[in-house]
Each structure stands twice: as C-alpha cells, then as structure tokens.
Amino acid sequence: MTLWSGRFSAAMDETLWNLSESYSFDRVLYAHDIEGSMAHVRGLEAAGLLSSEECVTLLDTLETIKGEFDADTFERRDSDEDIHMAIERRATELAGAVGAKIHTSRSRNDQVATTLRLFTRDALSEIARHALALVDTLVAVGEKNAEAYLPGYTHLQRAQPVLLSHHLQAHAWSLLRDVDRIFDARRRLNVSPLGAGALAGTSLPILPEVTAALLGFDETFANSMDAVSDRDFVAESLFDIALLGIHMSRMGEELVLWTTSEFNFATLGDDFTTGSSMLPHKKNSDVAELARGKSGRLVGNLTSLLVTLKGLPLSYNRDLQEDKEPLFDSVKQVLLVLAAMNGAYQSMTFRVDVAAAAADDQLLVAIDIAERLVADGMPFRQAHEVAGGLVGRAVRENKSLADVVAEEPTLAHCGDLFERGAALANRRSPGSSGPSASAVQSARLQERIAALTARL
Ligand code: ARG
C-alpha cells in the first residue's frame, strides 16, 4: 500500500515502480532526512500541531530509526519508494497512531529539498576540508625541497627557472579559490525550504523560522514555489566540484609528465603507483591519470543536472529526482581524488638534480641578459633584439650562450648571470619566485589558508 492509496484503485505497474523508485540510491540521505524530520516534529509542537508527548514519541521513534540505519538493520519494504517514504512508514509502524501525524503540513517536495540542502552543506564542508589538506601537502612538499627548482614552462617549452615551492603554490592558490567558491555555495544554499509544502504552503499555522533555526539554516525561503522547485544549489555545487576536479586534473597531467623517463623530475612512492600485468618493468602513475580521468565525469554530472533543469515548469517536477545521482557521484569521486592526490604528493620524490639541470639550460638566461641591458638604459625592444641575436648565434654556431656572451666585450658584466641559480636570485618582482617575493607569497598563502580554515 502506498501513502497515496486513497485515490487509486490499482497498484503501480512494476515497470513504473522500477523507473520511479529512488530508495536504491537516496538511502544515503537517511541521516539528513531524519535530522530534517526531527526539526519538523519540533516545529509542529511549537506551532501547537503536536502535543509535547506526541513530539517526544516521534523524536524517540526517529532516533530509533536512525539507529537501525546506522547499524544497517533497517529493512526496506516493497512499498518504500524512496528514503522519505521508508522512514515515514517505519515511524508509523513503531509509533502507532501518532506516526500518522509526522507528515502534517509537509510534502516530500519541501522535505526532499530540505534533506538535500542538509546533505550538500555537509558534503561541501567535507570537500573543503580535504582540499585544504591537499593545499597543506603542496606547501609542505615545497618546504621539504626548499632549494629545488625546475624550468617553468609556457607552451610546454622551457621558459624561466622557478622554485618548486613556487610551482606547487600556484596549484595551492587555485585550490584555495575552489575552497572559497565552495564556501560561497554553502552560504547561498543555507536557506530552509521546510514549510513550503507541496508548492504553495499550508493553511495550518506552521512556524518555518523555528525549523530553519533548528537546522542551522540562516533564513527561511521567501517563496514556496521557488523553495520546492529549484536545484540551483546542486548545480552550483556540481560546478564548484567540477572545477576543483579540473584543477586536480591539470595537476595529475603534470605528475604524469614529471614521472615519465623523458622528464624524470619526480617519482611517486611504490604505494602510489601501479605495475603492469604484462611488462615487468612498469611503474605507472595511475593515480595522476585517474585524477585527470575523473574530471570528465565531474563535468558530465554538472552537465547532466543542467540539462535536467532546463525547461522545467514551476514548481516541483519528478525530473528533479535526477538531481541526486550526479550529486552523490561527484561528491564521492572528488573526495576519492582529493585523498589519493594528497597521498601521491606526500609519496613523491622530487629529483632535484634532474630538474635543476633542465632549468640550468643556458638559453633560459636570455631574458636576464635583456633585462640587464634594460637596467643599463637600453629600451627593452632593442635589448630583446640583442639577446635574441646572441641566442641565434649560439644555436647556429653550436656554442653555449655563455661562450657567445663571453666573446662580446660589451657584455662583460653579464657573465655572472650564468652562475647556478642566478636567474632565480635576481628575480625580485612581487609574486615572482625570487627569494624575497617567495617569502611574501608564503606568508600570504598561510594567511589565506588560516582564513579559509576558520570557515570550515
Ligand atoms: N524521491 C523524490 C525526489 O527525489 C521525492 C519527492 C517526490 N515528490 C513527489 N511529488 N512525487 O524528488
């Protein structure tokens, strides 16, 4: 028997049931749904719609049901279409007559919107926590290899040497923006839809602000139709997760490159690499490839929800049930990637000598020669031409750039630029990887980490 059997004379066809049931995937919402129901019950009491004994009975009952789910002893009945109906059915079984009052002035439409906001709020906090942990690891790996430097690339061509810490902090900054965005989304979603009913509220004297406060929402909905029908908070969360995933995909791609024999800048620990079923010598960076690969799925989940929402008339439509699997999947996958990437970086050995040798490529000094000429008073375009000419000669005559420069009496004051680490040491502009700018950056980064951590 369904909750709406009063109106119907035939049971639901099995094919519709199979299409319609969502318990198989929305069971994971049980704790948040029970949390919402407890607040709802208290709100009914505050509104005089339940006696305090009835309220206590229902709260105890919900607590018992929560225990059953926690212990994995909850038994689904054939008629339990979704998690909300399963819990109400069980509450009625356990609490008797008063169980039939639990859904007073509530619809599954405002219920599911409430439950999903509670779930998403917690999930976003969890993701932010993991992302901040990954940032800490990136900073720590940079600190552990404080002297290490490597070529910085543009167009994947060697451009200028950068400190490893600077390079890793570049990723940290983008992750911190992701965390900031996640907190924005969490703040925006923190509005209670409970009390909107099916779509237009109720004639009963309910107190939505009471339930909102009990659930830690900042405010209540202003418009009941909006409250039950929009899932922009899910879309926004899926976007934030997708972008975080894309940032980790880029990091993954970089780890793949760094761990090739061709680059050979880094190795990952044996516990963070995989072997080959055929080739005995292989040590593969699957962790980084999966970080890259999962991002496609995260974008897919966002796209899936956006397409679901497009064209839905006000207010609730059953299509909205399709919001859950993309959300659950993205939350789960991004947490997997965050944790594994964190471990991968911790397990990484950076090959300081190999990376330094690549960064000591003399051609990378060309810009420093040009800048020294600028410091002498030469216009930059002319200095660029001079330095470019030297590089051209070195390449054509198959000489080192240092030798070509040494042959030029007017460039006698440029010889020191070829000393190891000189280019890095000379870098002084704000936000660069020169020594003083690095210190400023690290301090700014720590400040940002602390400010975001305080918002967890
Ligand atoms: N399982 C449903 C969902 O996820 C709950 C709401 C059902 N509401 C309805 N009017 N059929 O959207």
Side-chain angles (χ1 to χ4, degrees), residues 17-89:
W17 176 261
N18 293 339
L19 177 68
S20 173
E21 77 81 28
S22 56
Y23 183 93
S24 52
F25 54 85
D26 65 18
R27 184 190 181 284
V28 297
L29 293 173
Y30 77 84
H32 294 101
D33 200 62
I34 290 173
E35 189 188 348
S37 286
M38 285 179 153
H40 173 64
V41 164
R42 287 206 175 92
L44 290 177
E45 187 206 8
L49 292 164
L50 284 179
S51 71
S52 47
E53 300 83 76
E54 287 174 325
C55 175
V56 168
T57 306
L58 285 174
L59 290 178
D60 287 349
T61 303
L62 287 166
E63 196 63 57
T64 304
I65 297 172
K66 166 111 180 352
E68 292 178 354
F69 275 105
D70 287 345
D72 211 10
T73 57
F74 184 90
E75 280 175 36
R76 180 189 184 180
R77 288 284 151 78
D78 286 348
S79 58
D80 294 342
E81 181 184 271
D82 59 21
I83 186 64
H84 322 292
M85 289 172 71
I87 291 169
E88 185 183 343
R89 187 265 310 155

Side-chain angles (χ1 to χ4, degrees), residues 4 20-23 25-26 29 81-85 107-110 112-113 198 231 316-324:
W4 52 76
S20 173
E21 77 81 28
S22 56
Y23 183 93
F25 54 85
D26 65 18
L29 293 173
E81 181 184 271
D82 59 21
I83 186 64
H84 322 292
M85 289 172 71
S107 157
R108 274 186 300 159
N109 299 350
D110 59 342
V112 69
R231 293 293 183 269
Y316 178 85
N317 298 276
R318 192 60 182 281
D319 315 44
L320 291 175
Q321 185 167 291
E322 294 297 311
D323 59 0
K324 289 177 197 60

Side-chain angles (χ1 to χ4, degrees), residues 280-333:
H281 70 286
K282 290 300 292 293
K283 179 170 169 173
N284 297 324
S285 303
D286 292 27
V287 57
E289 293 171 283
L290 285 167
R292 200 175 54 189
K294 294 282 189 190
S295 66
R297 181 168 171 176
L298 300 178
V299 174
N301 287 335
L302 168 63
T303 309
S304 154
L305 180 73
L306 290 174
V307 177
T308 298
L309 297 181
K310 173 187 172 300
L312 289 187
L314 284 175
S315 57
Y316 178 85
N317 298 276
R318 192 60 182 281
D319 315 44
L320 291 175
Q321 185 167 291
E322 294 297 311
D323 59 0
K324 289 177 197 60
E325 284 166 292
L327 177 65
F328 298 159
D329 185 60
S330 282
V331 169
K332 184 172 169 198
Q333 300 304 323

